[in-house]
Structure formats: structure tokens, C-alpha cells
Amino acid sequence: GTTIAADFADTGTHDYLMIFIDDGAPTEISLGTGLTNYILATGLADTTHKIEIVKKTEPYDGHVTFGGFYLDDGKSLVTPPSLPSLKFEFYGDSNPSGYACESIFDAGDDLYKNAYYAYPGVVSRMLNAQYASTAWGGIGISKTTTILDDVWDRTVPNNSTPVWNFNNFIPDCVVINVAANDYYWNATQSEIMTGWESFVTDNLRTVYPNAHIVFANSIGWAINEPADYLPLTVQNLHNAGDTNVSYVLFPWLWGGSHAVVEEHAGFSNILAAHIANELGLPAPTPDPLDCLGGPGELYNGDFEMVPIGNDRENQASGWREWRNNGTISTVVTDAAGAYSGSRYAELS
């Protein structure tokens, strides 16, 4: 048909959806409370189309109820293609949730969150896998306000019931990226490592005995940072008899800010290659948005905008603009003055 609409209800007023039609550029919908009908696409050719609906925003922004599609008179849904057999599951904090990944100013507005371009989504698309992601800002493994142990088995993020039925989705690989927040709560190495190890042995292995587990963390942003403890943690698990566990380290290039889209692409290239190697999968095609340099390089890409379907002043790019006490860096669009592409950075 030519038009598709749907009913959605949100528990809050902070959730955004992205709508993809036929794998084209996405449009965005800001949801409100109460079941509301939204036009998702119109003016399409009268033929079969594909629609993909993505919740951009984090668990604490609310959860969304889907109330069904509306089609042109006489039109109907067709049988979708089979889902990929490969399955991944991710547990993490604000970086894997896509917090501020569209903002070079690390803006925390809900508008700039985007789970689709965070590395869990990118890795899963690179390796043609279904995925589930339980990730949101502020979560920790040992002593933060929200502990992963307390929420990992929830069906609805902010409600303790109903408990999730783990037989509904059995992953081939589970990725854990959490502990940065514990660092800011002054958690010790022992507390963080105990949290990681017990989460695997007491939780994950009770429901996923055969999944490969990957610990991921970012290195280079602090002294005595959690990433320093990963090799020993994985070795402890191996020594205890669980050898189906590994780790990857991501380079940290953005100071105290969250990763943007290009950095998530770089993380994805590292993690996807690692998972493919561990699971015996074909090597993935690298994400071209990757702005990370190779070994020995410090490289953050150029100053061009990432074509992710949005047109915003501070849309994500590999570099950070900076505003502090009247000192402002800006990105100037001037192809004649740019070393390459059409943009360059200027500091006043």
C-alpha cells in the first residue's frame, strides 16, 4: 500500500522512535503519553514495503506499547522474512545505550540518544544477528544507584515484575560493558571484579550455560580504571573452569564525554571482529564510519557530518566542539578553506 500508521503509547514523554521505510533514511517520532495514532509513512508506491521501528531512547525514559498497524483499505501485512538464527545480548551503561551519541557537545537531551547507532546495534547488523540490549546510563556492577544484578531479569525496565522468561531469547554471545559508573562511586578493584565474576557465575550461567561471554571496556581515560581489571577477571573465570569467556578493550579518545556515532562504529569494528573470531563466523565488513586510528595512531576522522538521517547543528562527528567561558570552537563549512572535504575546525 501507500500509507502506514500505528498506535503507540509511552509511559513518559521522553521517548523517540526512528522509522525506516525500505532501508531508507529514518524519520523520527516524539512520543507522548496515552495511546496515539501516528502516521509513519505516506505517499509510497503501491507495492510491498519494509518498515523497521527502533526505540532510540533509554529504559528510564519510559517504555513503549505498540497498539497495531493501520493500512490502506484493502491492503494487508505480508509474511516477513525469517529472522537471523544468530542471537546476541548486551548488558551495559550509557555508552552501549547510545547516550548522547548524536551530540558532539555530549548533550544529554533525549533527542541525541540513539540506540540504533550505538555499537550493540551496529555489531549485530554487521554480523546479521538478532539482539537484545539492556543498557542505560548510570548503571553499575557493584555500588551504584542501579546495580545490574537487580534489573538484568526484568521484562519492563522500571518494573520488578514480570520477570523475563530467558527461554524466549537464548543468545550465542553475551557482551557486558559496565563498571565506569562504579569508578565514580569509588568502587575498589575487588568490588568491581567480584561484581563482574558473580554476574557471570550466579546469573548468566544459570540461564545461558553455552553462550560465549565477552567483557568490553574502554581504556585510557583514568588511572586505575575498570578496564585495567579485565584481563585478571577473565583469567579468574578461566581458572574457575569457565573458559568460554573473553574480553576486548576499546580506545578512549573523547575525554570525559560519551562516544559519538563514529566512535561507536570503531568499537563495532573491534568487537565484531572479535566475536566473529570467537564464534567461527566469517570476518565482517568494517563499518566505514569508523574514526579510530590504528595502532600507534591518534586519529579522530575529519570534520564532516555523519549522514544518519538527522539535520542538527551539533550532529555527531569524530571531533568535539568546545564551549567554555566565552572560548568557542566551531566547525566551519568552507570547502575552499578545508584541507579535505568541506569543513574545518576553528578556535576563537
Side-chain angles (χ1 to χ4, degrees):
T2 65
T3 303
I4 187 166
D7 285 343
F8 296 103
D10 191 16
T11 56
T13 57
H14 299 281
D15 275 317
Y16 285 81
L17 301 181
M18 286 199 304
I19 312 299
F20 295 84
I21 303 294
D22 298 329
D23 297 316
T27 57
E28 290 187 6
I29 295 174
S30 174
L31 298 181
T33 56
L35 198 65
T36 304
N37 187 256
Y38 298 86
I39 302 296
L40 306 182
T42 189
L44 303 174
D46 189 3
T47 185
T48 301
H49 298 279
K50 171 188 173 183
I51 184 168
E52 183 176 7
I53 301 171
V54 178
K55 182 179 184 290
K56 290 181 56 178
T57 32
E58 296 184 273
Y60 61 74
D61 291 317
H63 63 265
V64 177
T65 299
F66 171 62
F69 285 122
Y70 295 80
L71 305 170
D72 294 338
D73 290 342
K75 303 299 180 179
S76 62
L77 297 176
V78 302
T79 302
S82 299
L83 291 169
S85 59
L86 190 64
K87 296 183 178 73
F88 298 156
E89 190 159 279
F90 297 82
Y91 293 96
D93 51 29
S94 51
N95 260 326
S97 80
Y99 181 92
C101 78
E102 290 188 30
S103 171
I104 55 179
F105 296 111
D106 201 27
D109 311 52
D110 303 300
L111 185 64
Y112 303 114
K113 300 173 181 179
N114 199 324
Y116 185 82
Y117 291 104
Y119 75 79
V122 179
V123 165
S124 301
R125 293 192 295 274
M126 289 173 70
L127 295 174
N128 190 32
Q130 299 182 59
Y131 80 103
S133 180
T134 299
W136 66 84
I139 202 167
I141 197 67
S142 65
K143 62 186 303 182
T144 55
T145 301
T146 303
I147 302 298
L148 189 55
D149 272 358
D150 296 334
V151 299
W152 77 292
D153 59 353
R154 294 184 177 183
T155 301
V156 178
N158 295 321
N159 299 338
S160 58
T161 57
V163 174
W164 174 247
N165 181 353
F166 286 93
N167 291 321
N168 288 342
F169 190 91
I170 301 177
D172 301 278
C173 181
V174 178
V175 179
I176 304 166
N177 184 180
V178 63
N181 293 304
D182 300 72
Y183 172 89
Y184 291 112
W185 281 66
N186 298 314
T188 65
Q189 176 178 346
S190 175
E191 289 172 324
I192 290 174
M193 290 179 58
T194 298
W196 282 336
E197 292 170 24
S198 64
F199 184 68
V200 170
T201 57
D202 299 341
N203 293 338
L204 289 183
R205 284 308 183 210
T206 66
V207 291
Y208 305 139
N210 300 317
H212 183 74
I213 296 173
V214 180
F215 284 98
N217 223 283
S218 298
I219 195 165
W221 56 276
I223 297 172
N224 297 323
E225 62 193 359
D228 295 343
Y229 319 144
L230 272 187
L232 181 55
T233 299
V234 170
Q235 188 60 55
N236 286 349
L237 289 167
H238 287 190
N239 292 343
D242 190 348
T243 58
N244 202 14
V245 182
S246 62
Y247 71 91
V248 295
L249 299 176
F250 301 141
W252 186 282
L253 299 181
W254 58 94
S257 301
H258 292 83
V260 290
V261 171
E262 294 92 332
E263 290 156 338
H264 279 286
F267 297 170
S268 299
N269 287 342
I270 293 169
L271 181 57
H274 177 84
I275 293 175
N277 181 68
E278 293 292 335
L279 299 188
L281 304 172
T285 301
D287 188 319
L289 294 181
D290 181 358
C291 72
L292 304 181
E297 295 178 339
L298 180 61
Y299 177 61
N300 249 32
D302 55 29
F303 299 97
E304 306 308 310
M305 289 293 193
V306 177
I308 57 176
N310 304 319
D311 184 16
R312 302 190 179 119
E313 176 192 0
N314 60 340
Q315 187 172 342
S317 70
W319 292 84
R320 295 293 191 278
E321 295 181 32
W322 186 63
R323 299 176 181 180
N324 184 46
N325 295 328
T327 302
I328 301 174
S329 69
T330 58
V331 172
V332 179
T333 302
D334 175 14
Y339 179 80
S340 65
S342 61
R343 294 154 58 82
Y344 61 89
E346 183 177 74
L347 178 67
S348 59

